[in-house]
Amino acid sequence: MCRLFALTSKEPVSPMMAIKALDVMKEGHDGSGMGLLLQGLGGPFEEMKEAPILSGIFSEAGIRRLDLFMMDQGFLTKYKISLKISKKPVEGIPRRGLYLIRAYELPEGWDTLEQEEISRRLMMIRLKIREMGEEKKDMIVFSFWPDTIMIKEIGDPMQLAGYLGLDRKELKARVIMAQGRQNTNYAINLYACHPFFIKGYCTMTNGENTAFIPIKDFLTSRDFPGYRGYQSDSEVFAHILHYSMVGLDLGIDAYKHVITPLQEDDLQKHPDADFLSHLKKTCRPLIIDGPNCVIGTLPDHSMFMVQDRKKLRPGVVGGKPGMYGFSSEICGLDAVIPDRDKTKDIQPMNIDTAIVSPDRQEVKICRQTEALNLPL
């Protein structure tokens, strides 16, 4: 199984806190890789919240092609971090080119655009860079989005942290998601490594989704350019989240109703029975199957956890005002927030969505049996 740890903090903290939790849970993952999401960035990125940040891995030839492409698009570099790699090889970690984290000035004229149009253009540029990289195998791009850094690589998480220098002060963040295993159901591919990100929505999953094919087919039929890739059966969780909240204009309280709708008897007792019956029918291809614990974040930096219908994967949420952790195992939480009131830890059940809002004051539980906060 994978191991997951996510942290939401009022003050920026080092990603080493989440990586430490993965290391404590090491017996549950095989050390084959790590994916890392950082948002709510501190340090030098604190003053450039609107600047899109490109995260990825590039060869020397890829960097040259990237620079020409970005200049053609009108982007100028505002700030960058180059992760300097040790010349001494580390067993289990492949030798690559440059791990790039680069913030850009928006092109001239973009300041007059609506935010949705800016978001669309940023997504399309990321997809184009990915397409260019897949053509010549010289670029891997994980994200191109404001206030967001993503790092993915093969290897043991603690060794990767040292190898990439992830303890540096410029990488502190308020939202951190870390996953401690490469995809093992398919060929090793960094695009298959969690977390998965699309236009501000991000998820990572411990489990497997045997309903992957019908979900993928439904999403790709939506005529939305971002629903593509699918090197992992878990990537659809992020895209269903985006589709539910953007395409259907629903809240996070409805996400569980899309992926694991209530059984018919319980559905008919629900205060929004008519709406949910319609939702279940129209979104039936998005129903997941298999054991899953999903941790996710929203554009406003809310963090949540949901379980599959039978709760076949562990998951716990706990912390204190100002800092909360979402973990595959309690030992991971103990390693990062040992001084919390452990009696308030929550292990979400099969109908629960555990949510910590951006104020980071408490864990709220939204149950599928409760009335929905539907748009007017």
Side-chain angles (χ1 to χ4, degrees), residues 315-335:
V316 59
V317 182
K320 55 188 178 181
M323 180 180 288
Y324 285 88
F326 290 60
S327 182
S328 292
E329 296 183 3
I330 291 176
C331 63
L333 203 53
D334 289 342

Side-chain angles (χ1 to χ4, degrees), residues 297-310:
T297 57
L298 307 180
D300 69 354
H301 292 175
S302 295
M303 187 173 285
F304 69 91
M305 176 185 286
V306 296
Q307 304 279 350
D308 66 84
R309 193 191 310 279
K310 296 180 181 178

Side-chain angles (χ1 to χ4, degrees), residues 84-108:
K84 295 182 179 179
I85 307 305
S86 170
K87 293 182 179 179
K88 184 179 179 181
V90 177
E91 185 178 357
I93 301 176
R95 295 289 293 179
R96 301 193 194 267
L98 177 67
Y99 295 81
L100 184 70
I101 300 168
R102 184 187 286 174
Y104 287 92
E105 298 272 7
L106 289 174
E108 186 176 349

Side-chain angles (χ1 to χ4, degrees), residues 123-137:
M123 180 188 71
M124 296 307 294
I125 288 169
R126 174 183 62 82
L127 293 173
K128 179 59 178 178
I129 296 171
R130 175 169 174 169
E131 181 183 303
M132 291 166 59
E134 289 177 330
E135 179 185 0
K136 296 196 175 182
K137 311 301 181 186

Side-chain angles (χ1 to χ4, degrees), residues 31 100 111 139 188 212 215 223 246 252 266 306 310 361 373:
L100 184 70
D111 55 343
M139 308 180 192
I188 293 294
F212 168 60
I215 294 174
D223 195 30
V246 178
I252 188 58
D266 294 324
V306 296
K310 296 180 181 178
Q361 291 301 302
N373 182 24

Side-chain angles (χ1 to χ4, degrees), residues 9 91 137 157 162 190 238 293 318 363:
S9 172
E91 185 178 357
K137 311 301 181 186
L190 290 184
C293 172
V363 183

